Amino acid sequence: MNEFFILMQQELLLTAIIFILLFAKLGAKDLEPKTLLLLTNILLTINFVAGFFFNADGSLFGDMFQTNDLVRLEKNILNLGTLIISLQSYNWLMKHKHAAEFYILMFSTLLGMFCMISSRNLLMFYVGLELASIPLAAMANFDLDKRRSAEAAMKYIISSAFASGLLLFGISMIYGIAGTVNFAELREIASANPLFLFSFILLIAGFGFKISAVPFHLWTADVYEGAPIAVTSYLSVISKGSMIFVMTSVLFTVFDKLFFQWYNIMAVLAVLSMVIGNLFAIRQQNIKRFLAFSSISQVGFILIGVSGGDNTGFSSVVYFVLIYIFSNLAAFGVLSLVSSEKGKERIDDFKGFYKTNPLLTWVLAIALFSLAGIPPTAGFFGKFFLILAGAGKNNYVLITIAALNMVVSLYYYLRIIKAMFMDSNENPIEKVEVSWSPKIAMAICIGGIVVTGLVSGAYEYIYSLVK
């Protein structure tokens, strides 16, 4: 029994937080939003810190659920990202009458992601995936008085259902061929016969939808634009990050015998995602759509790391997701403040932003520098390790395309920085008042960008965990 509580510590803590919020909502109907947000952020902080203590490796439920140092690290990264999103959404949630319900949905999806990451069985993985996906659709519709929020939820439901259908079809065929859904047994049975390969490709297509890799990306920009910014940032880093962790683990540990086949698929998806994501990002005027397409391009770089197919590739992917959380959430944090206070979301609105909001301008600039991969920010080291992992296979065409796309991405990231610092605007965005909660979130993000890039052994630590 003790083993059960220790191995499922992170899942049980999240479940406890969900019930505490549920009882608080039902038992104290006049609970002040300020008290609720303070309580939730304290619980999230405790949840994050507790993830580093009283840990043990092992498995449960007939090896369906497994945990180890790397799995716990991945969950702690997602816990940290969720805490940052909660802190930076303070202003929006203070005005929302259903903040408790929002948190309950968000933590339910996180619980599903934790089950996915720990799964060692396709059935367990699929149950976790559905728990992670369904509440997200409700979250996308959380701007209840806005039509585009409802449209975003509808598009997410339809695309998510299609992706789940493909995934489930692939899992069903794999079970029909192999007679098992256990990862360890599948590893022994996996082969390159045409039927098994077809079902394997369906599985990868399902992954591709969830991480917005081209050509499975069509839902991304519309959902990102229509959903509330807190949900957009959650989709872009937490949801995507969890699926990248799972996909990398499944490819590396279950289907490693099919490396030649999935290496070619990853290389094609990487090139398409980088090129298409960059080309569409250049054209965008709405910052949420811009970040949607730039995130598609970032997925292309992550897939280069995945294509490495060894411990270096796995380490570089986990390391980049950590950096991506800090960088992308810093950008979304500034956008969330400006959007909730001033209702501005277009790039042209940010012309002359430095004159009225110098601190926020610098936060957004550092985040964009990191996303662009400009040294000495953490984003540079993240992309460096991803490309290094891909270069291990001597695919110089892929590396050259990645380098060219980094140059293209520099253009559109610097376009926003130029607008903020150099372009004139007769009516710049007025001074944005920043409360203590978003300030803490921005400090964590900027600290993370600096520390993980310059002065830490984060990559070496992650590499030591990947066995």
Side-chain angles (χ1 to χ4, degrees):
M1 184 59 74
N2 286 337
E3 185 187 25
F4 172 81
F5 284 111
I6 292 173
L7 296 182
M8 293 205 72
Q9 179 200 112
Q10 288 165 303
E11 287 76 13
L12 292 174
L13 274 171
L14 261 184
T15 307
I17 293 173
I18 291 171
F19 275 101
I20 289 171
L21 291 176
L22 189 60
F23 291 140
K25 176 68 182 177
L26 296 176
K29 293 182 178 176
D30 55 348
L31 188 67
E32 291 289 329
K34 192 174 182 179
T35 307
L36 174 71
L37 295 184
L38 182 62
L39 170 68
T40 308
N41 287 327
I42 290 172
L43 290 172
L44 275 174
T45 306
I46 293 171
N47 179 49
F48 171 64
V49 174
F52 293 94
F53 298 98
F54 307 111
N55 293 315
D57 295 355
S59 61
L60 293 168
F61 314 128
D63 208 27
M64 289 178 75
F65 179 97
Q66 192 178 69
T67 187
N68 54 44
D69 289 336
L70 180 62
V71 165
R72 279 191 296 276
L73 174 69
E74 291 172 348
K75 292 177 183 176
N76 286 334
I77 290 173
L78 300 183
N79 273 334
L80 177 60
T82 306
L83 173 62
I84 295 171
I85 291 171
S86 174
L87 290 170
Q88 66 186 199
S89 306
Y90 185 85
N91 290 14
W92 177 64
L93 288 172
M94 278 290 288
K95 301 172 187 173
H96 207 295
K97 60 181 179 181
H98 297 297
E101 290 90 333
F102 176 80
Y103 276 123
I104 290 170
L105 289 170
M106 185 163 75
F107 298 152
S108 298
T109 70
L110 192 60
L111 185 59
M113 292 171 199
F114 281 8
C115 291
M116 282 197 306
I117 291 172
S118 277
S119 63
R120 292 297 176 270
N121 182 298
L122 285 174
L123 189 60
M124 181 80 173
F125 160 71
Y126 189 74
V127 171
L129 175 69
E130 290 304 303
L131 180 58
S133 300
I134 295 172
L136 262 175
M139 288 168 64
N141 190 28
F142 234 72
D143 268 340
L144 301 174
D145 55 344
K146 294 181 180 176
R147 182 180 172 182
R148 65 176 187 173
S149 184
E151 290 177 358
M154 181 58 71
K155 286 173 183 171
Y156 185 77
I157 288 173
I158 293 171
S159 59
S160 188
F162 186 59
S164 293
L166 282 179
L167 203 66
L168 195 56
F169 189 29
I171 291 173
S172 304
M173 290 186 68
I174 287 174
Y175 180 71
I177 298 165
T180 179
V181 285
N182 180 278
F183 283 178
E185 294 171 6
L186 276 177
R187 185 174 185 273
E188 301 301 322
I189 296 167
S191 66
N193 78 63
L195 193 57
F196 196 95
L197 272 182
F198 179 66
S199 54
F200 175 62
I201 288 170
L202 288 175
L203 201 67
I204 289 185
F207 285 132
F209 269 103
K210 297 296 182 183
I211 65 173
S212 305
V214 176
F216 313 109
H217 67 293
L218 296 175
W219 61 275
T220 312
D222 291 340
V223 175
Y224 275 36
E225 184 183 9
I229 291 180
V231 180
T232 306
S233 53
Y234 191 83
L235 277 167
S236 73
V237 294
I238 306 299
S239 175
K240 192 175 288 186
S242 68
M243 188 53 72
I244 288 167
F245 288 151
V246 176
M247 185 184 78
T248 309
S249 175
V250 168
L251 290 178
F252 280 47
T253 59
V254 183
F255 298 106
D256 54 331
K257 290 180 181 175
L258 302 178
F259 172 72
F260 176 75
Q261 285 78 15
W262 65 254
Y263 171 80
N264 290 319
I265 296 173
M266 290 298 126
V268 171
L269 293 181
V271 171
L272 289 175
S273 299
M274 286 187 292
V275 173
I276 302 295
N278 275 343
L279 289 178
F280 279 87
I282 290 172
R283 302 174 50 194
Q284 303 306 316
Q285 280 301 318
N286 181 287
I287 289 194
K288 287 165 80 176
R289 290 185 73 85
F290 163 78
L291 288 173
F293 283 108
S294 78
S295 77
I296 292 170
S297 172
Q298 301 282 359
V299 164
F301 286 99
I302 291 172
L303 293 178
I304 292 178
V306 175
S307 72
D310 53 16
N311 289 355
T312 306
F314 204 152
S315 310
S316 66
V317 169
V318 177
Y319 180 63
F320 187 81
V321 171
L322 174 63
I323 292 168
Y324 187 63
I325 283 178
F326 289 131
S327 307
N328 222 28
L329 289 186
F332 272 114
V334 176
L335 180 58
S336 173
L337 286 168
V338 174
S339 178
S340 65
E341 295 297 318
K342 309 297 179 188
K344 306 285 188 182
E345 291 183 1
R346 291 177 61 80
I347 292 174
D348 285 346
D349 295 331
F350 282 77
K351 287 182 177 177
F353 191 53
Y354 178 71
K355 292 179 181 176
T356 51
N357 294 277
L359 180 62
L360 293 180
T361 304
W362 276 112
V363 171
L364 184 53
I366 292 170
L368 294 175
F369 279 136
S370 185
L371 288 171
I374 295 175
T377 59
F380 166 75
F381 295 101
K383 286 187 178 175
F384 173 75
F385 287 125
L386 286 174
I387 293 174
L388 192 67
K393 302 304 169 194
N394 296 325
N395 189 342
Y396 297 113
V397 175
L398 181 62
I399 304 308
T400 304
I401 293 172
L404 290 173
N405 276 281
M406 283 186 71
V407 175
V408 174
S409 70
L410 274 178
Y411 164 74
Y412 58 70
Y413 285 121
L414 292 177
R415 183 166 64 111
I416 299 177
I417 294 172
K418 173 179 171 291
M420 294 191 297
F421 284 97
M422 301 175 69
D423 288 354
S424 59
N425 189 349
E426 292 182 357
N427 298 304
I429 296 172
E430 296 175 357
K431 176 76 175 174
V432 177
E433 295 299 327
V434 185
S435 55
W436 61 272
S437 184
K439 278 182 182 173
I440 293 174
M442 284 189 286
I444 294 172
C445 290
I446 297 302
I449 291 172
V450 174
V451 172
T452 53
L454 288 179
V455 294
S456 77
Y459 178 79
E460 289 77 11
Y461 175 68
I462 293 169
Y463 188 84
S464 70
L465 299 182
V466 177
K467 300 171 184 175

